Amino acid sequence: MEIHLLDVGTREYGDCIIVHNAQKRILVDGAHKGDSALLKKQMKEIFQQESPYHFDLLVLTHLHDDHIGCLPELVKNGDISAGKCLLMNPDFRWKKGVQDNAGVNDGFVDALLEEDHSFLPDAELQQFLVD
């Protein structure tokens, strides 16, 4: 069995892990948005072939952007496929328009539960909270 912790660039946080042997391939998380070329280059080295890359199992550990990352793009473009997926249902966290007992939108509460984003410039922080 081999385990590869892929290079996800210089942006803070983010993960992409490949676990494989001769029979099975598992992909865990998908780095950041915009990391597609970086991941495909490393997959080419690991598997000694061009895309598409098929995984027996795709796992998303949680719904942060630095883990979902470029997976939607890679799947949409046909660069990766998966036999089975273990994914978090977004309905468990991000419920549009739902208010808690204090009248605070759940999306804002979810943003506060993310990693520390206080270092972002004001405009980027505001966009993060809007998203």
Side-chain angles (χ1 to χ4, degrees):
M1 177 185 319
E2 293 184 28
I3 300 172
H4 301 270
L5 305 176
L6 275 60
D7 178 358
V8 296
T10 59
R11 283 183 281 170
E12 193 168 33
Y13 307 114
D15 286 306
C16 187
I17 301 166
I18 292 175
V19 180
H20 72 102
N21 61 24
Q23 293 82 33
K24 298 287 182 185
R25 292 180 177 179
I26 301 170
L27 178 64
V28 180
D29 290 339
H32 309 95
K33 289 180 182 175
D35 284 346
S36 295
L38 179 61
L39 295 188
K40 287 192 314 186
K41 178 182 176 188
Q42 294 172 84
M43 288 180 196
K44 180 180 177 181
E45 291 177 21
I46 292 167
F47 299 124
Q48 297 296 300
Q49 72 175 65
E50 297 285 341
S51 69
Y53 305 104
H54 180 75
F55 293 91
D56 298 285
L57 178 63
L58 169 62
V59 178
L60 262 177
T61 58
H62 60 286
L63 296 175
H64 291 170
D65 282 344
D66 58 325
H67 294 264
I68 297 171
C70 60
L71 288 177
E73 177 186 345
L74 290 171
V75 170
K76 181 180 177 184
N77 293 340
D79 293 310
I80 66 169
S81 63
K84 294 185 179 187
C85 299
L86 180 59
L87 310 173
M88 168 103 36
N89 183 337
D91 290 339
F92 292 147
R93 289 285 305 226
W94 287 278
K95 299 175 189 130
K96 297 199 182 292
V98 175
Q99 302 284 322
D100 69 10
N101 292 335
V104 177
N105 186 291
D106 278 350
F108 183 74
V109 173
D110 288 334
L112 294 175
L113 295 173
E114 287 269 352
E115 292 95 357
D116 180 15
H117 285 81
S118 62
F119 60 89
L120 292 174
D122 288 348
E124 289 181 39
L125 182 58
Q126 184 174 356
Q127 186 61 49
F128 168 75
L129 292 172
V130 167
D131 291 345

